[in-house]
Amino acid sequence: MKLRPYQQEAIQALIEYFHRATGNPLICISTGGGKSVVIAAWCQLVLNQFPNQRILILSHVKEILEQNYSKLKTLAPDVDMGIYSASLKRKDKDASVLFAGIQSVYSKAFDLGPFNLIIVDECHLINADNDTTMYSQFFTDAKKMNPNIKVIGFSATPYRMKSGLLTHGDNALFHEIVYETDIQQLIDDGYLSPLVTKGGRQKIDLTGVRTQNGDYATKDMEKAVNKDDLTDKALAEIMELGADRKSWLIFGVSVKHCLEIEEKLKKQGVSVGIVHGKTPNKLRDRIITLFKQGSIRCLISQGVLTTGFDAPRTDLIALLRSTKSAGLYVQILGRGLRISPETGKTNCLVLDYGGNVERHGPIDQIKVRNAGKKKEPGEMPIKECPKCQLLIPCFEKECPDCGYIFPAQAPHKATASNKAVLSAMQQAEWYPVEAVFYQLHSKAFSNNSVKVTYQCGTEFFDEWVCFEHTGFPKHRALTWWVQRVGYQPPCPNDCDTALAYLNNNNVKTPSAIQVKPEGKYKKIINYEFLPETIKEMAYGN
């Protein structure tokens, strides 16, 4: 089996990590990027060099377990491997490489014997802060038999909604993300399918939906998604925009909501299947198989099919639900990233009716906020003012220190969003400027610069003005200075002088800036000044 270049890079990253460190590394590979191939190749490499090693590969669903087992069997058929999974009706114990479901083995560590290496697929499901989880119980017992055991994590989303990155926190199991794929690069290279969006025409306001356990409350969302006939309008749009699409995957709010969607689509002559957490395993497997074969056009999901579900022909994903979880959002859209040349799939259409794209942004630019100090029992929930960083109660609408007005909750869309789900699809946008901040930016082995931060509502954009540089950066700094200050005083040659003037004088500021995404970052490409402001600056007043 020939590895793709990025899969080889992931293997090399693991080799280099274990040469320099003794912790537990984490590999981030996009959904559809072939984690199972990398896992199989790594196991083969380890066993070729150290034949006496024992490796345990854990997963939480049998589909992932079967997929990982199959890949290693293909790559290294002579390796002694086994499966321990109640759902697969196998309980092998003594294999050199054992594939196991965590539900089946979490209390069986001593029965399985010591391992040298544990690999966890979809490791974002591990909750390191909870000592009572199945993973935590197994790791505790496994370390008693081998204190030097190593754990390698694999995930497309290496973070948790409440705690942030899996490498963050005092109890973090993983110490470093050693490799991460670039979704857009994999699309450009033909390994993943592009995601595209089409915009809708109507909006509804879903304010009042409460939060429960960190995400939107199901009962509230169920009521909200049916207000103003949202479900009917959304399904009409899906029928229209998905007319030439072969495999639809729809995510609903609840079982009741999914059954409602199923009934409405059947009346329109669409072949439909539905799966949820209580669907019997045999029925679930049969429905999924029919969908993968193309016998069912639309598969509706509630609470499942977000990980471990491989249906490459999926060319339309509709989210008739909202989520605050960036990981869940990325996992859902990841179902459409797999390529399917044999079915003529050229891209996957994403129709978002829950405001998820606006909330989280493009899936290749997810920003994860690590959890800070935990609140004491009874402590009032607080938030940080984006303007002056004052910590204030969450219910406050205005900062008592600087007067910043917190924006109302943005309305969700009753028809599909036209926001980009990949950063390369984003267009330059104009943002009105509310405030500008200046500070010194120091960088090792380089001249200092002035960091300029523009506050545009709840978003902040940065640029760096290089007064101490030469060539084009200096020329740009000169242009920047004249736009805001004029020709007097002249453009300074050091950042301290520039900051002293900028922070102590009435400097002209743009009324708006134009911002364009560039990879993982956003670049300010243009400014808008009011006509009278430009006139004043031209004369240096």
Side-chain angles (χ1 to χ4, degrees):
M1 184 179 294
K2 184 178 180 181
L3 298 182
R4 296 169 178 174
Y6 66 89
Q7 294 170 334
Q8 294 174 338
E9 292 170 1
I11 295 292
Q12 186 61 36
L14 284 173
I15 294 173
E16 293 174 358
Y17 177 80
F18 284 119
H19 278 158
R20 64 178 171 80
T22 58
N24 299 326
L26 196 158
I27 296 288
C28 180
I29 295 181
S30 310
T31 300
K35 292 195 303 293
S36 58
V37 174
V38 176
I39 291 172
W42 174 254
C43 290
Q44 184 187 39
L45 177 65
V46 170
L47 293 174
N48 283 344
Q49 296 187 21
F50 308 99
N52 294 326
Q53 295 280 296
R54 287 196 75 207
I55 303 173
L56 175 66
I57 302 172
L58 292 174
S59 56
H60 67 292
V61 294
K62 68 183 183 66
E63 289 85 1
I64 295 178
L65 191 155
E66 289 176 309
Q67 182 174 294
N68 289 334
Y69 177 86
S70 175
K71 291 296 181 184
L72 183 58
K73 199 70 175 176
T74 301
L75 189 64
D78 296 331
V79 169
D80 173 31
M81 63 185 78
I83 294 176
Y84 196 110
S85 169
S87 59
L88 294 177
K89 295 180 173 56
R90 285 185 60 176
K91 292 188 176 181
D92 305 326
K93 293 183 179 180
D94 301 322
S96 297
V97 181
L98 185 62
F99 296 83
I102 186 61
Q103 298 93 332
S104 299
V105 301
Y106 73 94
S107 61
K108 303 286 195 305
F110 296 107
D111 294 338
L112 300 179
F115 289 92
N116 305 97
L117 174 66
I118 296 177
I119 296 175
V120 184
D121 200 355
E122 306 294 354
C123 63
H124 58 275
L125 296 173
I126 298 175
N127 185 357
D129 291 328
N130 189 338
D131 293 332
T132 63
T133 66
M134 291 185 289
Y135 280 107
S136 297
Q137 181 175 340
F138 185 87
F139 292 147
T140 298
D141 293 342
K143 287 181 180 179
K144 290 178 181 178
M145 291 182 288
N146 180 9
N148 297 317
I149 195 170
K150 300 299 179 186
V151 180
I152 301 176
F154 283 81
S155 177
T157 51
Y159 40 82
R160 292 179 63 86
M161 182 169 63
K162 292 183 179 180
S163 57
L165 285 172
L166 299 181
T167 53
H168 174 79
D170 296 335
N171 299 319
L173 175 63
F174 301 102
H175 299 91
E176 184 180 337
I177 297 177
V178 299
Y179 185 78
E180 188 170 3
T181 54
D182 183 325
I183 293 177
Q184 188 59 55
Q185 187 61 55
L186 267 58
I187 291 174
D188 293 342
D189 292 342
Y191 297 125
L192 295 181
S193 169
L195 302 179
V196 297
T197 56
K198 290 184 180 179
R201 295 172 290 275
Q202 302 176 27
K203 295 182 180 180
I204 61 171
D205 187 354
L206 294 183
T207 54
V209 175
R210 293 170 295 179
T211 299
Q212 190 174 51
N213 297 323
D215 209 345
Y216 293 109
T218 299
K219 289 186 178 179
D220 288 354
M221 278 300 305
E222 190 176 54
K223 294 177 182 178
V225 81
N226 282 308
K227 275 195 288 185
D228 300 324
D229 299 321
L230 171 64
T231 299
D232 288 335
K233 294 174 182 176
L235 293 178
E237 188 171 63
I238 292 172
M239 293 288 295
E240 175 189 349
L241 299 179
D244 60 346
R245 302 279 167 169
K246 299 175 181 178
S247 294
W248 306 351
L249 187 56
I250 298 178
F251 292 87
V253 173
S254 62
V255 174
K256 179 181 177 182
H257 184 225
C258 289
L259 290 170
E260 178 187 347
I261 295 171
E262 180 187 33
E263 181 182 358
K264 292 178 183 295
L265 287 178
K266 282 184 175 179
K267 288 181 179 180
Q268 298 296 322
V270 179
S271 54
V272 184
I274 180 173
V275 292
H276 50 80
K278 295 183 179 180
T279 304
N281 288 337
K282 289 185 177 180
L283 177 59
R284 171 178 165 171
D285 291 344
R286 184 160 63 88
I287 292 173
I288 290 176
T289 298
L290 291 173
F291 178 71
K292 290 181 178 181
Q293 293 173 347
S295 301
I296 292 177
R297 187 179 192 185
C298 177
L299 184 57
I300 307 168
S301 168
Q302 191 279 322
V304 294
L305 305 185
T306 56
T307 58
F309 173 67
D310 182 3
R313 63 187 299 134
T314 302
D315 57 1
L316 185 151
I317 294 176
L319 293 87
L320 271 73
R321 59 159 297 173
S322 296
T323 180
K324 289 187 175 182
S325 169
L328 178 59
Y329 161 71
V330 174
Q331 291 285 353
I332 286 175
L333 295 195
R335 303 310 106 195
L337 284 173
R338 297 184 187 275
I339 59 175
S340 179
E342 62 276 9
T343 62
K345 174 182 175 181
T346 57
N347 57 49
C348 179
L349 174 64
V350 175
L351 301 175
D352 176 28
Y353 300 92
N356 301 292
V357 179
E358 287 89 345
R359 186 177 305 109
H360 301 295
I363 62 172
D364 56 339
Q365 286 190 343
I366 296 296
K367 295 180 180 179
V368 180
R369 175 173 293 181
N370 293 322
K373 179 182 177 182
K374 291 185 177 179
K375 295 183 295 184
E376 296 297 329
E379 183 180 349
M380 181 181 295
I382 59 175
K383 60 184 176 183
E384 181 180 289
C385 173
K387 184 176 181 181
C388 68
Q389 286 75 54
L390 182 71
L391 297 177
I392 62 177
C394 277
F395 60 79
E396 293 286 358
K397 296 181 180 180
E398 180 178 349
C399 177
D401 192 24
C402 67
Y404 175 79
I405 305 296
F406 286 87
Q409 182 177 344
H412 298 261
K413 295 203 171 183
T415 53
S417 167
N418 61 356
K419 289 288 185 179
V421 291
L422 290 168
S423 58
M425 298 161 55
Q426 292 179 300
Q427 302 298 316
E429 294 185 57
W430 283 97
Y431 293 85
V433 175
E434 295 182 6
V436 184
F437 308 94
Y438 310 98
Q439 63 183 31
L440 182 67
H441 178 72
S442 300
K443 189 175 182 180
F445 310 111
S446 181
N447 293 335
N448 292 337
S449 60
V450 171
K451 181 182 178 182
V452 184
T453 300
Y454 298 89
Q455 180 187 341
C456 304
T458 58
E459 295 200 63
F460 294 80
F461 302 100
D462 299 322
E463 66 177 350
W464 288 262
V465 185
C466 305
F467 294 100
E468 299 182 7
H469 291 59
T470 59
F472 177 76
K474 178 65 175 181
H475 175 74
R476 182 180 176 278
L478 174 61
T479 303
W480 186 94
W481 181 267
V482 171
Q483 281 183 322
R484 289 154 180 77
V485 178
Y487 293 101
Q488 294 298 328
C491 180
N493 292 317
D494 64 276
C495 293
D496 290 338
T497 302
L499 283 169
Y501 189 90
L502 293 170
N503 287 321
N504 293 285
N505 291 273
N506 187 23
V507 179
K508 306 300 181 184
T509 59
S511 59
I513 56 175
Q514 190 179 29
V515 181
K516 189 177 190 310
E518 286 194 355
K520 294 184 177 181
Y521 305 96
K522 292 185 177 181
K523 181 180 180 181
I524 300 171
I525 61 173
N526 205 354
Y527 314 93
E528 181 182 79
F529 293 91
L530 297 177
E532 60 271 18
T533 305
I534 295 176
K535 182 178 180 181
E536 289 174 0
M537 287 189 298
Y539 291 94
N541 294 327

